[in-house]
């Protein structure tokens, strides 16, 4: 298919092509992209069109530019991934890195609701990782992370799960989480979860349901987290 | 002062100059900016430097570009402002426009905590607007909005407050809210607020504290909102 046979703006078509190359792992995390000149020649478009597509990818943090060096595929290092998507803070406080303890890893069938959240057919196999995240030595967050085995084959066999799962997803499963969609509610804490967080049952807690979106636009992971807000807040800036 | 006497990158100095012009109302909302060529000549920098500063302002939604027409100062229309900063939804639902009912407007002195949140000296005068926002006919949010009189002189004399206060701020007080910073917690609903929302006292509720940031980087407004999450969620996308 030539680049000009559909009705999207040309730069958007170039953008889509480049996204697919990154999603497919043709360009790996941290890889340098060819020059604008070389890309323009290869794709048969102007250098300005290539630049516009690259600008968009940089704005979305999928690519990064290094002054005088070139354009690279973003890496999700432990830290950058943490700071970008980990939104719990002590009230008015600084960015905090949580310490993570794995409670349990099990393989099971998705419930109807989970399958819907993950855009999966019913009854697909998934891995549920249960973990507790502590901030400044205090257990703060009880979390269940669901990983479809179709997307993460054999992930329940990983010997060690890192603090930031997204790094693992990118390095071993070619899944690059570029967006998360959070829905927050206040709930009364179920007794079993309250015990893990050293809180009384029925304490008010923040419940976050998160869909993690792969670079190809699909939901790759879905999670549910309960957070005591006696000491912590969910902090976000909207621009 | 010449543009080149400090150590910031040149485009950042141009960016700062342009921000001040917008913040000062030299360019009003919806105004067209001069061409890149004209700005470059006026400021004694290259057109590429001007473009870089403009790109940044467009990325921050302070300016907008219209294909083939030019670059304009963003307007906060009722709708765009709503969709950008109003984050409550029915779970899994579409964007919703709330209906707002003003309960009370009073002039009072800031508490120490409020003064700190607003970066004000102690005991400064402010206006407190208490309002209830309904979604699909259900009272959903009880909100107290604090407006320092130093920033919004005489705002308690406004005869009618619009659904989106930010539009009023921009049109009458030259305050352009370009960012909000939210901190969310789960709380037990105080009895007086629960009554306004048709809920039982001590129901778990989401409490959002919001700092609204003017284009000059200062906090212009601070608010506290309680939301029942029986029917609603706070929804946000992070990229």
């Amino acid at each position: 298919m030539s680049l000009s046979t559909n009705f999207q703006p040309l730069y958007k078509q170039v953008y889509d092509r480049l996204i697919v190359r990154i999603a497919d792992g043709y360009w790996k995390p941290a890889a340098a992209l060819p020059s604008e000149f070389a890309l323009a020649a290869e794709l048969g478009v102007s250098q300005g069109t290539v630049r516009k597509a690259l600008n968009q990818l940089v704005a979305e943090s999928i690519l990064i530019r290094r002054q005088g060096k070139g354009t690279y595929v973003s890496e999700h290092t432990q830290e950058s991934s943490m700071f970008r998507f980990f939104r719990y803070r002590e009230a008015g406080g600084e960015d905090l890195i949580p310490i993570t303890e794995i409670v349990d890893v099990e393989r099971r069938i998705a419930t109807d609701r989970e399958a819907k959240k993950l855009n999966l057919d019913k009854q697909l196999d998934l891995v549920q990782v249960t973990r507790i995240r502590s901030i400044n030595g205090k257990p703060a967050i009880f979390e269940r992370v669901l990983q479809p085995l179709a997307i993460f084959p054999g992930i329940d066999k990983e010997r060690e799960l890192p603090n930031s799962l997204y790094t693992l997803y990118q390095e071993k499963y070619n899944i690059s989480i570029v967006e998360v969609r959070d829905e927050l509610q206040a709930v009364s804490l179920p007794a079993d979860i309250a015990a893990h967080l050293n809180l009384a049952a029925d304490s008010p807690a923040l419940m976050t349901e998160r869909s993690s979106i792969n670079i190809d636009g699909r939901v790759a992971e879905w999670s549910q987290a309960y957070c005591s807000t006696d000491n912590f807040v969910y902090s976000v800036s909207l621009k």
Side-chain angles (χ1 to χ4, degrees), chain A:
Chain A
M1 186 190 80
S2 137
L3 272 178
S4 48
T5 57
N6 70 37
F7 293 99
Q8 287 201 305
L10 203 53
Y11 89 91
K12 186 65 175 60
Q13 298 175 51
V14 171
Y15 169 94
D16 288 345
R17 282 260 187 125
L18 301 182
I19 278 278
V20 168
R21 287 190 184 184
I22 298 163
D24 285 353
Y26 176 83
W27 291 320
K28 304 258 183 251
L33 261 64
S35 69
E36 286 178 6
F37 179 82
L39 282 171
E42 186 203 339
L43 300 172
V45 297
S46 76
Q47 222 174 309
T49 300
V50 169
R51 189 176 307 132
K52 204 164 168 186
L54 295 178
N55 284 347
Q56 174 91 23
L57 289 160
V58 168
E60 293 170 3
S61 302
I62 294 166
L63 298 178
I64 48 169
R65 277 212 187 86
R66 297 213 183 88
Q67 196 79 36
K69 291 197 173 167
T71 306
Y72 298 79
V73 180
S74 292
E75 276 184 289
H76 286 150
T77 63
Q78 287 281 110
E79 289 68 25
S80 68
S81 172
M82 279 294 157
F83 282 118
R84 201 155 144 224
F85 296 134
F86 188 77
R87 305 309 324 158
Y88 291 99
R89 305 279 178 273
E90 286 183 312
E94 298 298 302
D95 286 357
L96 293 167
I97 300 277
I99 301 300
T100 305
E101 177 203 341
I102 304 289
V103 176
D104 185 47
V105 177
E106 61 165 321
R107 196 187 270 235
R108 64 173 174 80
I109 303 291
T111 65
D112 285 359
R113 178 164 191 263
E114 289 165 353
K116 204 174 155 202
K117 292 287 183 187
L118 286 158
N119 292 323
L120 293 177
D121 291 332
K122 277 184 190 184
Q123 306 236 313
L124 260 167
D125 281 326
L126 51 77
V127 172
Q128 171 177 296
V129 177
T130 304
R131 54 187 193 165
I132 292 173
R133 316 191 88 175
S134 297
I135 300 177
N136 286 346
K138 289 168 267 188
I141 300 150
F142 178 92
E143 188 180 35
R144 290 193 191 102
V145 180
L146 305 187
Q147 302 157 330
L149 276 160
I151 297 176
F152 303 103
I155 197 168
D156 52 333
K157 302 291 180 290
E158 291 289 338
R159 293 205 304 169
E160 210 167 308
L161 290 171
N163 198 1
S164 166
L165 291 170
Y166 297 165
T167 309
L168 174 70
Y169 296 170
Q170 190 171 59
E171 286 170 4
K172 291 239 194 141
Y173 302 92
N174 200 32
I175 295 292
S176 291
I177 304 299
V178 294
E179 178 187 359
V180 298
R181 295 183 195 137
D182 282 353
E183 291 199 340
L184 284 84
Q185 289 180 271
V187 298
S188 290
L189 210 50
D192 57 327
I193 295 173
H196 279 291
L197 298 176
N198 299 337
L199 291 170
D202 296 328
S203 304
L206 212 52
M207 200 259 289
T208 308
E209 295 187 335
R210 167 168 291 188
S211 301
S212 301
I213 315 296
N214 187 23
I215 196 170
D216 65 4
R218 293 182 310 166
V219 179
E221 179 211 84
W222 187 77
S223 67
Q224 202 178 31
Y226 293 84
C227 179
S228 151
T229 53
D230 284 356
N231 297 306
F232 306 103
V233 300
Y234 177 101
S235 163
V236 68
S237 156
L238 307 172
K239 289 186 183 184

